[in-house]
């Protein structure tokens, strides 16, 4: 997951500082947030526009991650804009996590600090691990439809496999940056075709925030500049019109849901996307990850490679064993996952299970690889997103609230080019957005966002910057203490508690620090909200695995796919049995009674009356695709 602000970064290779002065001019150094102490407030913002922001309290407690135990820094989120875990199925599903675990080295607040505060660094400092090393193993959907894999913590006593490729990285602050020597070049190829040759000066600006590209487990798929994506789209369309002509006939592969036969055919032929650093050092993204299945056995596919800053996301890790070594400054691509059978953890005792089906991991709008972590005494379990593009362990405080004009109602933080969160917080600054943005409106516009935010602006008015008042797009607040902001924001009406989405599904885990005997913070009383959030009423798909969803539009009942459910689907208790049975029954014609009977047998429970829905699952998926397709500035070609 990408931060919107980063600290000062120096790229070092063989004791050589590369283009440090150029980087220094572009990076937003948050000196005021450096060297945070327990009890201090922090802020973090995620996403290209910072629409996902959180403010919280820095604390520490005992952490158990992969059976490695030590005291670690914990960010206790007290306010924010939208849930930290993206929704799966995208837009209408449950938030994927209770928090986030940054796996990169770095410091809370992204400033410089005397010692790293990330969890793995704390495990090393506490003696649980000997070095900041971990190996991520992700199986692909063909190997296991339930996806997931394993994370192996610490350096292994096993040798790296023959053929392992080590790529130099800078892993000092918040991410794993890929780079080249000061006079080197990086060639981007698609199979045998050279797409772009980057000089060293160009390479260090082609990533997010005009920085070098990173390998980021928190970014779904693979993102690349428009000029590179145009080549990818052209190649995929050529394959669809030639080698896969019969499977892809009359299908616009980049502007609609793609059926399984077409997507699988293209994936088999699509060449790999490669960043070649010379000397046989290459980062390869398999062409088989171009299209991914939205939900298991649905038969509905869309693309995971998309337009954006060059970022090697989950597609670069999918189906592979990849070791991240911050101590020696490299990422080692170790070959195929092979079922994650080889335990590369330190002493063979620090393995933890990873979760995430193909649609959750490769989806550019989700990109979540999850694992369990235990915090506190007695230990409390949380599901966290594992993120090599950040450095903090963030969990919801049980008093955490979300603010804005309910972006969950719109299924995404923005709509009609406006930020429905109404404002963003980054460091000690607040930026205000409205529907009048870029329309040359006068100050103090009379709209819902301004009227919602006005009480907070009034509380913090002495920190206002700019001329003429709170003008959309140009005005902001700056320099306020985060403790003062945390108190001031309680005048606003929260639209939900931070984990309301997961609470609705019975999956939420908020950190109840008061029950932990090992919790430490100088300030343990986050400001309570002055207003309670309204009742949570959003319709959430809590579990995408359902059985016997029936199309009743005809005289007979057809088993409907994909396995997206809701109030009109018959749920079962055993996901694996349900998936296997649906795969067998996919194209069978059944009566309503037969459908109920078959589901009852699969779930081994008495099913409810099947009130079938006439809304096809494909239509639901097209709603999702509409949001994804909007980011690509290129129309699909009809084959």
């Amino acid at each position: 997951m990408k931060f919107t602000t980063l600290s000062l970064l120096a790229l070092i290779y063989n004791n050589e500082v590369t283009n440090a002065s150029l980087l220094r001019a572009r990076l937003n150094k948050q000196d005021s947030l450096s060297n945070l102490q327990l009890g201090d407030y922090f802020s973090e913002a995620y996403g290209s526009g910072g629409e996902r922001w959180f403010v919280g309290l820095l604390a520490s407690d005992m952490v158990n991650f992969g059976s490695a135990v030590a005291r670690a820094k914990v960010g206790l989120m007290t306010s924010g804009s939208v849930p930290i875990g993206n929704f799966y199925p995208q837009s209408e599903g449950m938030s994927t996590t209770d928090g986030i675990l940054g796996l990169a080295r770095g410091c809370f607040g992204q400033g410089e600090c005397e010692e790293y505060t990330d969890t793995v660094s704390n495990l090393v400092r506490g003696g649980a691990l000997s070095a900041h090393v971990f190996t991520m193993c992700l199986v692909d959907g063909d190997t296991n439809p339930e996806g997931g894999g394993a994370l192996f913590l610490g350096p292994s006593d096993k040798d790296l496999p023959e053929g392992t490729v080590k790529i130099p990285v800078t892993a000092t602050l918040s991410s794993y940056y890929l780079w080249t020597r000061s006079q080197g070049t990086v060639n981007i190829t698609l199979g045998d075709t050279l797409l772009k040759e980057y000089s060293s000066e160009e390479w260090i600006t082609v990533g997010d925030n005009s920085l070098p590209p990173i390998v980021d487990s928190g970014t779904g798929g693979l993102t690349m500049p428009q000029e590179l994506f145009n080549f990818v789209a052209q190649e995929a369309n050529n394959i669809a019109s030639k080698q896969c002509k019969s499977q892809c006939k009359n299908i616009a592969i980049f502007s609609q849901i793609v059926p399984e036969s077409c997507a699988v055919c293209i994936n088999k032929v699509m060449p790999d996307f490669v960043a070649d650093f010379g000397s046989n050092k290459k980062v390869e993204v398999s062409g088989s990850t171009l299209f991914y299945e939205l939900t298991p056995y649905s038969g509905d596919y869309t693309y995971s490679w998309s337009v954006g800053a060059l970022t090697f996301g989950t597609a670069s890790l999918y189906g592979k064993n990849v070791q991240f070594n911050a101590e020696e400054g490299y990422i080692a691509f170790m070959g195929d996952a092979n079922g994650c059978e080889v335990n590369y953890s330190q002493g063979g005792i620090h393995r933890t299970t990873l979760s995430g089906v193909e649609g959750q991991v490769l989806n550019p709008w989700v990109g979540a690889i999850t694992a369990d972590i235990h915090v506190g005494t007695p230990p409390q379990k949380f599901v966290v997103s594992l993120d090599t593009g950040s450095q903090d362990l963030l969990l919801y405080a049980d008093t955490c609230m979300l603010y804005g004009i309910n972006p969950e109602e719109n299924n995404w933080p923005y709509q009609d080019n406006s930020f429905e969160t109404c404002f963003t917080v980054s460091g000690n600054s607040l930026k205000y957005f409205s529907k009048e943005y870029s329309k040359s409106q006068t100050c103090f516009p009379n709209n819902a966002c301004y009227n919602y935010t006005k009480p907070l602006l009034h509380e913090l008015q002495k920190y206002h910057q700019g001329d003429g008042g709170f003008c959309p797009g140009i005005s902001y607040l700056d320099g306020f203490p985060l403790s003062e902001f945390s108190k001031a924001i309680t005048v606003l009406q929260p639209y939900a508690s931070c984990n309301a989405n997961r609470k609705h599904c019975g999956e939420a885990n908020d950190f109840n620090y008061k029950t932990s005997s090992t919790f430490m913070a100088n300030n343990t009383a986050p400001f309570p909200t002055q207003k309670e959030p309204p009742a949570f009423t959003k319709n959430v798909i809590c579990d995408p695995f359902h059985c016997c969803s029936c199309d009743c539009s005809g005289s007979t009942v057809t088993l409907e796919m994909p396995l997206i459910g809701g109030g009109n689907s018959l749920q079962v208790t055993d996901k694996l049995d349900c998936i296997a049975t649906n795969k067998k029954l996919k194209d069978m014609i059944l009566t309503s009674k037969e459908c109920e009977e078959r589901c009852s047998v699969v779930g081994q429970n008495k099913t409810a009356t099947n009130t079938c829905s006439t809304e096809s699952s494909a239509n639901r998926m097209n709603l999702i695709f509409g949001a994804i397709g909007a980011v690509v500035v290129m129309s699909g070609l009809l084959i």
Side-chain angles (χ1 to χ4, degrees):
M1 188 177 291
K2 305 166 190 172
F3 280 106
T4 57
T5 58
L6 292 170
S7 314
L8 180 63
L9 174 68
L11 297 182
I12 301 174
Y13 184 73
N14 291 336
N15 299 318
E16 175 186 358
V17 178
T18 306
N19 297 316
S21 60
L22 294 176
L23 287 169
R24 187 176 293 108
R26 291 195 305 272
L27 295 175
N28 181 10
K29 186 177 181 182
Q30 298 291 319
D31 284 331
S32 60
L33 298 184
S34 302
N35 297 304
L36 290 178
Q37 303 298 313
L38 296 185
D40 288 346
Y41 280 87
F42 66 89
S43 74
E44 294 290 13
Y46 300 89
S48 58
E51 64 273 3
R52 179 175 276 107
W53 61 265
F54 290 95
V55 171
L57 191 73
L58 182 61
S60 78
D61 210 329
M62 298 304 296
V63 169
N64 182 333
F65 182 49
S67 298
V69 182
R71 178 170 290 279
K73 298 290 173 51
V74 181
L76 206 57
M77 295 178 284
T78 57
S79 61
S81 56
V82 292
I84 199 166
N86 291 326
F87 306 132
Y88 180 74
Q90 196 260 321
S91 83
E92 56 185 0
M94 181 179 69
S95 176
T96 50
T97 69
D98 301 309
I100 186 170
L101 174 60
L103 292 173
R105 287 203 302 195
C107 313
F108 262 95
Q110 304 176 61
E112 295 179 339
C113 55
E114 295 179 0
E115 58 182 24
Y116 296 120
T117 60
D118 62 275
T119 298
V120 178
S121 290
N122 277 293
L123 292 174
V124 173
R125 191 175 302 116
L129 303 175
S130 62
H132 196 301
V133 180
F134 60 88
T135 303
M136 184 173 288
C137 178
L138 288 179
V139 300
D140 57 36
D142 292 335
T143 302
N144 181 0
E146 286 214 329
L151 188 80
F152 306 106
L153 285 169
S156 174
D157 55 3
K158 295 181 174 65
D159 293 333
L160 299 184
E162 184 177 353
T164 292
V165 177
K166 293 183 179 181
I167 307 296
V169 297
T170 295
T172 55
L173 289 173
S174 307
S175 291
Y176 292 85
Y177 293 92
L178 299 166
W179 61 280
T180 185
R181 294 174 184 269
S182 58
Q183 301 301 317
T185 60
V186 181
N187 291 332
I188 301 297
T189 61
L190 191 66
D192 296 328
T193 303
L194 176 65
L195 305 186
K196 178 82 173 181
E197 180 181 290
Y198 287 102
S199 67
S200 59
E201 291 78 13
E202 292 172 321
W203 181 253
I204 65 172
T205 66
V206 75
D208 199 47
N209 290 306
S210 296
L211 290 166
I214 64 175
V215 177
D216 184 14
S217 63
T219 294
L222 166 71
T223 63
M224 67 190 74
Q226 182 73 57
E227 62 174 324
L228 298 182
F229 187 83
N230 288 344
F231 288 112
V232 168
Q234 181 179 10
E235 178 66 20
N237 277 303
N238 286 338
I239 293 172
S241 64
K242 296 176 181 178
Q243 296 99 316
C244 301
K245 184 175 182 179
S246 61
Q247 296 92 335
C248 301
K249 186 177 182 179
N250 297 325
I251 298 171
I253 60 174
F254 287 104
S255 59
Q256 67 184 80
I257 296 297
V258 178
E260 181 174 17
S261 58
C262 175
V264 170
C265 181
I266 294 174
N267 278 357
K268 288 181 178 179
V269 183
M270 188 71 186
D272 295 344
F273 182 96
V274 179
D276 188 344
F277 297 84
S279 302
N280 293 318
K281 297 183 182 301
K282 300 178 181 179
V283 177
E284 300 178 331
V285 181
S286 172
S288 65
T289 63
L290 176 59
F291 288 97
Y292 69 93
E293 193 171 25
L294 284 160
T295 54
Y297 300 118
S298 67
D300 289 331
Y301 285 71
T302 189
Y303 53 94
S304 75
W305 300 6
S306 58
V307 175
L310 185 57
T311 303
F312 292 87
T314 54
S316 68
L317 307 171
Y318 202 61
K320 301 177 182 178
N321 259 316
V322 182
Q323 185 179 95
F324 293 76
N325 191 320
E327 300 289 348
E328 300 182 32
Y330 67 78
I331 295 178
F333 291 88
M334 302 157 59
D336 293 341
N338 293 322
C340 305
E341 294 177 357
V342 179
N343 189 332
Y344 287 103
S345 69
Q346 181 173 330
I349 59 173
H350 296 303
R351 180 193 190 279
T352 190
T353 299
L354 303 183
S355 298
V357 296
E358 181 175 294
Q360 175 180 313
V361 172
L362 292 179
N363 188 328
W365 293 84
V366 184
I369 302 167
T370 64
D372 292 344
I373 190 170
H374 294 81
V375 181
T377 307
Q380 302 174 41
K381 187 180 81 169
F382 305 92
V383 177
V384 291
S385 174
L386 299 184
D387 184 18
T388 61
S390 65
Q391 77 285 357
D392 296 342
L393 170 59
L394 302 180
L395 302 173
Y396 296 128
D398 52 11
T399 57
C400 184
M401 294 291 164
L402 299 177
Y403 294 91
I405 301 180
N406 197 348
E408 287 196 348
E409 290 291 330
N410 303 313
N411 296 325
W412 200 243
Y414 51 85
Q415 185 183 53
D416 300 330
N417 297 319
S418 67
F419 282 82
E420 293 299 339
T421 50
C422 295
F423 59 91
T424 65
V425 179
S426 179
N428 302 98
S429 297
L430 180 150
K431 293 183 179 179
Y432 163 64
F433 299 91
S434 80
K435 293 187 184 230
E436 272 55 59
Y437 177 67
S438 78
K439 294 182 181 179
S440 301
Q441 297 293 317
T442 59
C443 295
F444 299 103
N446 184 21
N447 60 58
C449 256
Y450 174 72
N451 290 331
Y452 174 83
T453 312
K454 188 176 179 179
L456 175 62
L457 301 179
H458 178 75
E459 290 288 321
L460 299 174
Q461 58 183 325
K462 65 181 178 181
Y463 300 104
H464 171 249
Q465 304 290 323
D467 52 355
F470 297 102
C471 302
I474 63 172
S475 279
Y476 58 96
L477 308 179
D478 188 58
F480 49 79
L482 287 173
S483 58
E484 191 168 335
F485 168 84
S486 295
K487 183 177 181 179
I489 198 173
T490 62
V491 302
L492 298 183
Q493 171 67 56
Y495 71 83
S497 63
C498 290
N499 224 356
N501 177 284
R502 288 175 62 80
K503 287 177 182 175
H504 176 78
C505 296
E507 297 290 341
N509 297 288
D510 296 328
F511 186 37
N512 187 348
Y513 60 88
K514 295 179 181 178
T515 65
S516 174
S517 62
T518 49
F519 178 83
M520 293 177 60
N522 294 331
N523 175 12
T524 57
F527 296 101
T529 58
Q530 294 181 10
K531 301 177 182 179
E532 290 296 320
F536 187 85
T537 58
K538 182 184 177 184
N539 184 26
V540 179
I541 296 175
C542 298
D543 187 343
F545 301 96
H546 293 270
C547 183
C548 281
S549 177
C550 301
D551 180 0
C552 299
S553 58
S555 57
T556 57
V557 179
T558 305
L559 196 61
E560 186 71 10
M561 303 294 284
L563 306 175
I564 296 294
N568 295 321
S569 295
L570 300 177
Q571 300 188 29
V572 297
T573 56
D574 191 330
K575 296 178 184 179
L576 289 175
D577 283 353
C578 182
I579 293 173
T581 300
N582 269 287
K583 185 178 182 181
K584 294 176 183 177
L585 302 179
K586 181 175 180 180
D587 298 316
M588 292 183 66
I589 304 299
L590 304 169
T591 66
S592 179
K593 183 177 180 181
E594 287 172 333
C595 187
E596 291 180 9
E597 288 174 348
R598 288 176 183 269
C599 278
S600 180
V601 171
V602 172
Q604 296 181 2
N605 64 334
K606 194 172 183 179
T607 62
T609 301
N610 189 353
T611 54
C612 297
S613 170
T614 57
E615 177 189 17
S616 78
S617 54
N619 286 338
R620 290 196 296 272
M621 288 296 103
N622 280 325
L623 292 174
I624 295 173
F625 183 83
I628 300 174
V631 302
V632 180
V633 191
M634 180 173 184
S635 59
L637 300 178
L638 195 64
I639 304 303

